[in-house]
Short mmCIF file of all heavy atoms in Angstrom, two decimals:
data_model
loop_
_atom_site.label_atom_id
_atom_site.label_comp_id
_atom_site.label_asym_id
_atom_site.label_seq_id
_atom_site.Cartn_x
_atom_site.Cartn_y
_atom_site.Cartn_z
N ASN A 18 63.24 30.16 43.35
CA ASN A 18 62.16 29.16 43.49
C ASN A 18 61.54 28.86 42.17
O ASN A 18 60.47 28.20 42.14
CB ASN A 18 61.18 29.85 44.60
CG ASN A 18 61.56 29.89 45.90
OD1 ASN A 18 62.50 29.31 46.23
ND2 ASN A 18 61.04 30.70 46.71
N TYR A 19 62.15 29.22 41.07
CA TYR A 19 61.54 28.98 39.70
C TYR A 19 62.37 27.84 39.05
O TYR A 19 62.07 27.46 38.02
CB TYR A 19 61.52 30.22 38.86
CG TYR A 19 60.84 31.42 39.55
CD1 TYR A 19 61.51 32.69 39.52
CD2 TYR A 19 59.69 31.24 40.15
CE1 TYR A 19 61.02 33.77 40.14
CE2 TYR A 19 59.15 32.38 40.76
CZ TYR A 19 59.78 33.62 40.72
OH TYR A 19 59.14 34.70 41.40
N TYR A 21 64.79 24.20 39.66
CA TYR A 21 65.25 23.17 40.48
C TYR A 21 66.74 22.86 40.24
O TYR A 21 67.32 21.79 40.74
CB TYR A 21 64.49 21.97 40.33
CG TYR A 21 63.02 22.20 40.79
CD1 TYR A 21 61.98 22.38 39.96
CD2 TYR A 21 62.66 22.38 42.05
CE1 TYR A 21 60.72 22.76 40.25
CE2 TYR A 21 61.37 22.66 42.53
CZ TYR A 21 60.41 22.85 41.65
OH TYR A 21 59.14 23.03 41.91
N TYR A 123 63.18 38.83 46.24
CA TYR A 123 62.50 37.80 47.01
C TYR A 123 62.77 36.51 46.67
O TYR A 123 63.04 35.46 47.55
CB TYR A 123 60.88 38.10 46.96
CG TYR A 123 60.26 37.30 48.03
CD1 TYR A 123 59.80 38.03 49.25
CD2 TYR A 123 59.88 35.87 47.91
CE1 TYR A 123 59.19 37.25 50.30
CE2 TYR A 123 59.20 35.27 48.93
CZ TYR A 123 58.88 35.98 50.10
OH TYR A 123 58.24 35.33 51.00
N HIS A 124 62.96 36.19 45.28
CA HIS A 124 63.13 34.84 44.88
C HIS A 124 64.51 34.53 44.23
O HIS A 124 64.96 33.54 44.33
CB HIS A 124 62.12 34.47 43.89
CG HIS A 124 60.71 34.16 44.38
ND1 HIS A 124 60.50 33.10 45.28
CD2 HIS A 124 59.59 34.89 44.37
CE1 HIS A 124 59.27 33.08 45.70
NE2 HIS A 124 58.57 34.15 45.17
N THR A 156 58.36 37.07 36.31
CA THR A 156 57.49 36.01 37.04
C THR A 156 56.85 36.59 38.28
O THR A 156 57.54 37.20 39.02
CB THR A 156 58.28 34.80 37.34
OG1 THR A 156 58.87 34.29 36.18
CG2 THR A 156 57.35 33.65 38.10
N VAL A 157 55.55 36.53 38.32
CA VAL A 157 54.82 37.08 39.53
C VAL A 157 54.35 36.03 40.42
O VAL A 157 53.60 35.10 39.86
CB VAL A 157 53.57 37.92 39.00
CG1 VAL A 157 52.98 38.56 40.16
CG2 VAL A 157 54.05 39.01 37.97
N SER A 158 54.70 36.05 41.62
CA SER A 158 54.34 35.02 42.69
C SER A 158 53.40 35.66 43.71
O SER A 158 53.31 36.84 43.74
CB SER A 158 55.62 34.47 43.32
OG SER A 158 56.45 33.79 42.39
N PRO A 159 52.82 34.68 44.51
CA PRO A 159 51.96 35.26 45.57
C PRO A 159 52.75 36.29 46.58
O PRO A 159 52.16 37.28 46.91
CB PRO A 159 51.50 34.05 46.36
CG PRO A 159 51.63 32.87 45.32
CD PRO A 159 52.80 33.26 44.49
N GLU A 160 54.01 35.99 46.64
CA GLU A 160 54.82 36.94 47.52
C GLU A 160 55.08 38.20 46.95
O GLU A 160 55.48 39.14 47.75
CB GLU A 160 56.15 36.10 48.01
CG GLU A 160 55.87 34.78 48.70
CD GLU A 160 55.75 33.54 47.73
OE1 GLU A 160 55.74 33.82 46.53
OE2 GLU A 160 55.50 32.44 48.22
N THR A 161 55.16 38.18 45.72
CA THR A 161 55.63 39.56 45.00
C THR A 161 54.30 40.23 44.16
O THR A 161 54.61 41.36 43.63
CB THR A 161 56.71 39.17 44.01
OG1 THR A 161 56.32 38.36 42.97
CG2 THR A 161 57.85 38.61 44.66
N VAL A 162 53.21 39.62 44.31
CA VAL A 162 52.08 40.19 43.51
C VAL A 162 51.83 41.60 43.88
O VAL A 162 51.45 42.52 42.89
CB VAL A 162 50.90 39.42 43.51
CG1 VAL A 162 50.33 39.33 45.03
CG2 VAL A 162 49.84 39.72 42.54
N SER A 183 54.27 36.39 33.48
CA SER A 183 53.62 35.15 33.89
C SER A 183 53.39 34.87 35.20
O SER A 183 54.23 35.37 36.04
CB SER A 183 54.37 33.99 33.15
OG SER A 183 55.67 33.80 33.71
N LEU A 184 52.36 34.30 35.60
CA LEU A 184 52.11 34.09 37.02
C LEU A 184 52.91 32.76 37.43
O LEU A 184 52.81 31.72 36.66
CB LEU A 184 50.71 33.96 37.25
CG LEU A 184 49.81 35.10 37.05
CD1 LEU A 184 48.27 35.02 37.37
CD2 LEU A 184 50.22 36.40 37.75
N ASN A 185 53.39 32.72 38.65
CA ASN A 185 53.88 31.41 39.12
C ASN A 185 52.80 30.56 39.67
O ASN A 185 52.48 30.60 40.79
CB ASN A 185 55.01 31.81 40.14
CG ASN A 185 55.54 30.57 40.83
OD1 ASN A 185 55.44 29.38 40.28
ND2 ASN A 185 56.11 30.69 42.06
N TYR A 186 52.11 29.72 38.78
CA TYR A 186 50.92 28.94 39.22
C TYR A 186 51.45 27.93 40.17
O TYR A 186 50.52 27.41 40.79
CB TYR A 186 50.42 28.45 37.96
CG TYR A 186 49.65 29.32 37.22
CD1 TYR A 186 50.19 29.98 35.96
CD2 TYR A 186 48.45 29.88 37.49
CE1 TYR A 186 49.62 30.91 35.18
CE2 TYR A 186 47.70 30.83 36.77
CZ TYR A 186 48.29 31.33 35.64
OH TYR A 186 47.66 32.34 34.87
N ALA A 187 52.66 27.63 40.29
CA ALA A 187 53.21 26.62 41.30
C ALA A 187 53.18 27.14 42.64
O ALA A 187 53.47 26.45 43.66
CB ALA A 187 54.47 26.04 40.88
N GLY A 188 53.02 28.46 42.78
CA GLY A 188 53.04 29.11 44.09
C GLY A 188 51.71 28.85 45.05
O GLY A 188 50.72 28.25 44.32
N ASN A 189 51.79 29.17 46.15
CA ASN A 189 50.74 28.98 47.18
C ASN A 189 49.74 30.07 47.17
O ASN A 189 49.81 30.88 48.18
CB ASN A 189 51.27 28.63 48.53
CG ASN A 189 50.30 28.14 49.45
OD1 ASN A 189 49.28 27.66 49.04
ND2 ASN A 189 50.51 28.32 50.75
N TRP A 190 48.97 30.29 46.02
CA TRP A 190 48.04 31.42 46.06
C TRP A 190 46.84 31.18 46.98
O TRP A 190 46.38 30.07 47.05
CB TRP A 190 47.59 31.47 44.61
CG TRP A 190 48.64 31.88 43.59
CD1 TRP A 190 49.58 31.14 43.02
CD2 TRP A 190 48.86 33.16 43.18
NE1 TRP A 190 50.31 31.85 42.16
CE2 TRP A 190 49.89 33.10 42.25
CE3 TRP A 190 48.31 34.46 43.33
CZ2 TRP A 190 50.64 34.41 41.72
CZ3 TRP A 190 48.87 35.64 42.75
CH2 TRP A 190 50.03 35.50 41.88
N ASN A 191 46.41 32.22 47.64
CA ASN A 191 45.31 32.15 48.42
C ASN A 191 44.30 33.28 48.02
O ASN A 191 44.56 34.14 47.15
CB ASN A 191 45.56 32.11 49.88
CG ASN A 191 46.28 33.44 50.27
OD1 ASN A 191 46.06 34.57 49.80
ND2 ASN A 191 47.20 33.34 51.22
N GLU A 192 43.10 33.38 48.73
CA GLU A 192 42.12 34.33 48.34
C GLU A 192 42.63 35.85 48.44
O GLU A 192 42.36 36.57 47.58
CB GLU A 192 40.88 34.25 49.24
CG GLU A 192 40.07 32.96 48.84
CD GLU A 192 39.59 32.86 47.41
OE1 GLU A 192 39.10 34.07 46.82
OE2 GLU A 192 39.68 31.91 46.83
N ASP A 194 45.79 36.78 48.05
CA ASP A 194 46.64 37.00 46.88
C ASP A 194 45.93 37.32 45.57
O ASP A 194 46.18 38.11 44.77
CB ASP A 194 47.48 35.81 46.70
CG ASP A 194 48.34 35.38 47.92
OD1 ASP A 194 48.74 36.31 48.60
OD2 ASP A 194 48.58 34.17 48.14
N LEU A 195 44.77 36.54 45.40
CA LEU A 195 43.90 36.85 44.26
C LEU A 195 43.28 38.12 44.37
O LEU A 195 43.10 38.89 43.08
CB LEU A 195 42.98 35.65 44.08
CG LEU A 195 43.65 34.21 43.74
CD1 LEU A 195 42.56 33.29 43.67
CD2 LEU A 195 44.37 34.26 42.38
N LEU A 313 51.40 24.75 29.93
CA LEU A 313 50.82 25.38 31.16
C LEU A 313 50.08 24.37 32.08
O LEU A 313 50.11 24.29 33.20
CB LEU A 313 50.14 26.65 30.93
CG LEU A 313 49.71 27.43 32.04
CD1 LEU A 313 50.82 27.70 32.93
CD2 LEU A 313 49.02 28.69 31.53
N GLN A 316 52.16 21.85 33.82
CA GLN A 316 52.92 22.53 34.90
C GLN A 316 52.02 22.71 36.00
O GLN A 316 52.41 22.59 37.23
CB GLN A 316 53.38 23.95 34.51
CG GLN A 316 54.18 24.71 35.56
CD GLN A 316 54.58 26.13 35.19
OE1 GLN A 316 53.80 26.71 34.36
NE2 GLN A 316 55.54 26.72 35.82
N THR A 317 50.72 22.99 35.78
CA THR A 317 49.83 23.34 36.97
C THR A 317 48.96 22.09 37.47
O THR A 317 48.55 21.98 38.59
CB THR A 317 48.87 24.50 36.53
OG1 THR A 317 48.13 24.05 35.39
CG2 THR A 317 49.65 25.73 36.24
N THR A 318 48.68 21.26 36.58
CA THR A 318 47.88 20.03 36.98
C THR A 318 48.61 18.58 36.79
O THR A 318 48.11 17.61 37.26
CB THR A 318 46.58 20.01 36.29
OG1 THR A 318 46.81 19.77 34.80
CG2 THR A 318 45.74 21.29 36.38
N SER A 325 43.77 24.01 35.44
CA SER A 325 43.83 24.31 36.72
C SER A 325 42.71 25.41 37.20
O SER A 325 42.48 26.40 36.51
CB SER A 325 45.15 24.93 37.02
OG SER A 325 45.14 25.75 38.28
N PRO A 326 42.01 25.11 38.34
CA PRO A 326 40.99 26.02 38.76
C PRO A 326 41.59 27.53 39.05
O PRO A 326 40.98 28.38 38.70
CB PRO A 326 40.52 25.49 40.03
CG PRO A 326 40.80 24.13 39.87
CD PRO A 326 42.07 23.95 39.18
N LEU A 327 42.79 27.63 39.50
CA LEU A 327 43.47 28.79 39.66
C LEU A 327 43.74 29.57 38.48
O LEU A 327 43.32 30.77 38.21
CB LEU A 327 44.81 28.54 40.37
CG LEU A 327 45.67 29.77 40.43
CD1 LEU A 327 45.12 30.77 41.42
CD2 LEU A 327 47.14 29.46 41.01
N PHE A 328 44.17 28.86 37.35
CA PHE A 328 44.32 29.36 36.04
C PHE A 328 43.02 29.92 35.51
O PHE A 328 43.01 30.98 34.94
CB PHE A 328 44.97 28.42 35.12
CG PHE A 328 45.23 28.88 33.75
CD1 PHE A 328 46.35 29.82 33.52
CD2 PHE A 328 44.47 28.57 32.76
CE1 PHE A 328 46.57 30.35 32.27
CE2 PHE A 328 44.59 29.10 31.41
CZ PHE A 328 45.73 30.02 31.15
N THR A 331 42.08 33.17 37.19
CA THR A 331 42.89 34.35 36.82
C THR A 331 42.54 34.82 35.46
O THR A 331 42.54 35.98 35.03
CB THR A 331 44.34 34.12 36.87
OG1 THR A 331 44.72 32.97 36.08
CG2 THR A 331 44.76 33.80 38.35
#
Side-chain angles (χ1 to χ4, degrees):
N18 292 340
Y19 307 133
Y21 298 101
Y123 194 96
H124 288 295
T156 302
V157 180
S158 294
E160 300 85 359
T161 63
V162 65
S183 60
L184 300 181
N185 175 20
Y186 289 101
N189 186 26
W190 293 84
N191 58 38
E192 288 301 318
D194 300 326
L195 292 174
L313 184 56
Q316 180 189 24
T317 54
T318 69
S325 161
L327 172 64
F328 180 74
T331 57

